[in-house]
Amino acid sequence: MAEPRISSIDGKLAEEFAVPSHVEEVKEKMAAFAEHHAAAGRRVVLITSGGTKVPLESRTVRFLDNFSSGRRGASSAEYFIETGYAVIFLHRHRSLYPYTRMFSTMNMLDALKFRGGDTGEVVVNQQVLPNIAKVLKRYQEVKENRLLLPIEFNTLSEYLHLLKAAAQALSTIGSKAMFYLAAAVSDFYIPASEMPEHKIQSSNGPLQLSMNMVPKILSPLVKDWAPQAFVISFKLETDASILLDKARRALETYRHQAVVANVLDSRRGYVVVVTPETQAELILTEEDEKNEVEIEVRIVSNLTSAHNKFITQQGG
Ligand code: PMT
């Protein structure tokens, strides 16, 4: 297999975004996970999920964040596992997590009863936590079979370096790897050299910020770090009239395999999967909603079929 090329973004990443101390250790874990599952005949999907946090001060009091809950990534992880994939779940700390995503911690305490006695037994009221037995059973099977590798990020810097490490770790399994980039990543940041050290003082008057553009990591990911992988990016807009143009432009710019296009307010019930040749609208009907069908089951089904074709075309 060809050695990955050095990209100019590598230099920028190293200079302007603090490298997390555990990145090499995580990379080895991801590489071992990918090789283990590929050897067992499984495909591996790297899911990014949740928003990113951009600090405004180096001793951070304030930061810029975004709306993403991580629900898309967490539910997709479950459906990919049901389809036979092993999942690396690169997610924002405390965003929604596969299997636990259905349960709020508030309900959790109300659902538990301490029976006391010698064993200190605790029982669960399944009316307060519906489906808990089924979900717990599935979670334990997934854990036993090591089908889910969770990796956390918090800041934008951590996200960028861990995604690069993941891309390099998965490059050894070629077209069997899928990247499903559902995280809502900040487009703007303040470079460390321009960031005030201490808390910004309101006594200095109104705040004006100048932020730099975050390098689009999709570009080196597709071209250099994992050139044989099947790569899906997401495109979110609030103005539906520009969404599909922007999705197509992303495909032309980055030359990856598909964009999942969605609008903020309708994202739970309607998305369009755009590829260079096709455009598929995925819609939940009222009936689907009554039956608690989630749009992610349709997105995952569409993309796993496309991944099958891709692998066949690549001769893998
Ligand atoms: O988490 P939920 O509340 O369930 O919401 C799901 C979602 C709306 C966040 C998700 O469906 C979604 O659309 N995510 C992408 C949001 C977006 O528009 O991202 P973007 O335009 O900033 O980036 C486009 C693509 O480039 C994304 O796939 C992103 O991962 C990637 N990117 C972004 C920034 C960057 N520096 N490098 C990148 O490669």
Side-chain angles (χ1 to χ4, degrees):
M1 201 170 291
E3 278 291 304
R5 289 188 290 132
I6 304 292
S7 115
S8 62
I9 291 182
D10 283 302
K12 198 162 190 174
L13 275 187
E15 278 164 28
E16 295 187 10
F17 298 92
V19 184
S21 57
H22 63 313
V23 71
E24 283 305 315
E25 185 194 324
V26 174
K27 186 169 160 185
E28 275 170 32
K29 242 194 219 172
M30 294 190 284
F33 180 86
E35 276 161 33
H36 165 77
H37 286 292
R42 264 178 227 111
R43 291 169 197 169
V44 180
V45 59
L46 180 288
I47 298 178
T48 68
S49 186
T52 53
K53 210 158 110 172
V54 178
L56 303 188
E57 301 125 338
S58 44
R59 300 191 191 201
T60 310
V61 173
R62 303 188 184 89
F63 48 81
L64 201 73
D65 206 339
N66 67 50
F67 69 97
S68 171
S69 64
R71 179 167 150 187
R72 175 85 86 222
S75 56
S76 302
E78 293 174 22
Y79 295 121
F80 273 114
I81 289 173
E82 293 318 303
T83 315
Y85 280 69
V87 174
I88 301 178
F89 187 59
L90 180 58
H91 64 289
R92 160 83 177 271
H93 177 62
R94 294 205 180 129
S95 60
L96 289 182
Y97 192 80
Y99 306 105
T100 64
R101 71 190 171 97
M102 288 112 165
F103 309 111
S104 91
T105 40
M106 290 253 289
N107 283 357
M108 201 71 85
L109 288 182
D110 289 334
L112 301 178
K113 237 199 183 85
F114 188 62
R115 278 263 180 84
D118 290 346
T119 55
E121 198 186 359
V122 173
V123 289
V124 181
N125 178 347
Q126 297 198 35
Q127 272 165 352
V128 184
L129 291 185
N131 290 328
I132 184 74
K134 190 171 138 215
V135 173
L136 182 62
K137 185 166 172 279
R138 190 62 191 129
Y139 171 74
Q140 285 174 345
E141 286 162 359
V142 166
K143 204 166 171 190
E144 261 162 44
N145 293 301
R146 291 187 286 148
L147 292 169
L148 179 65
L149 177 64
I151 311 283
E152 276 187 3
F153 64 85
N154 207 345
T155 62
L156 174 66
S157 293
E158 286 172 355
Y159 168 84
L160 295 171
H161 284 288
L162 290 170
L163 179 57
K164 176 182 169 187
Q168 293 175 331
L170 265 66
S171 66
T172 56
I173 66 163
S175 62
K176 288 201 183 93
M178 185 198 290
F179 288 81
Y180 183 89
L181 305 172
V185 182
S186 177
D187 284 324
F188 310 104
Y189 77 109
I190 301 178
S193 56
E194 290 167 31
M195 210 185 280
E197 181 184 353
H198 293 287
K199 184 185 164 197
I200 298 167
Q201 295 296 314
S202 60
S203 52
N204 293 343
L207 179 62
Q208 289 203 346
L209 288 175
S210 163
M211 302 184 88
N212 286 13
M213 295 295 299
V214 175
K216 277 283 177 191
I217 203 141
L218 204 49
S219 177
L221 190 151
V222 174
K223 273 202 295 214
D224 306 328
W225 300 334
Q228 293 173 309
F230 186 71
V231 179
I232 320 297
S233 72
F234 281 68
K235 180 49 71 189
L236 174 85
E237 292 297 337
T238 50
D239 177 356
S241 70
I242 61 170
L243 181 65
L244 292 181
D245 265 2
K246 295 210 56 176
R248 277 192 215 100
R249 223 174 307 149
L251 280 178
E252 282 161 22
T253 308
Y254 303 112
R255 309 229 153 249
H256 56 307
Q257 283 66 45
V259 176
V260 178
N262 53 179
V263 172
L264 184 66
D265 296 338
S266 59
R267 71 189 192 279
R268 304 278 175 235
Y270 177 75
V271 306
V272 186
V273 182
V274 186
T275 74
E277 302 83 28
T278 61
Q279 188 171 302
E281 285 189 305
L282 309 180
I283 307 170
L284 289 188
T285 61
E286 272 179 27
E287 188 67 17
D288 289 330
E289 276 165 18
K290 245 188 264 155
N291 294 325
E292 298 185 351
V293 175
E294 294 179 298
I295 189 103
E296 287 77 14
V297 76
R298 306 262 158 88
I299 302 176
V300 168
S301 160
N302 179 297
L303 293 174
T304 50
S305 304
H307 192 195
N308 281 342
K309 280 192 207 135
F310 178 78
I311 291 173
T312 312
Q313 281 162 3
Q314 306 293 307

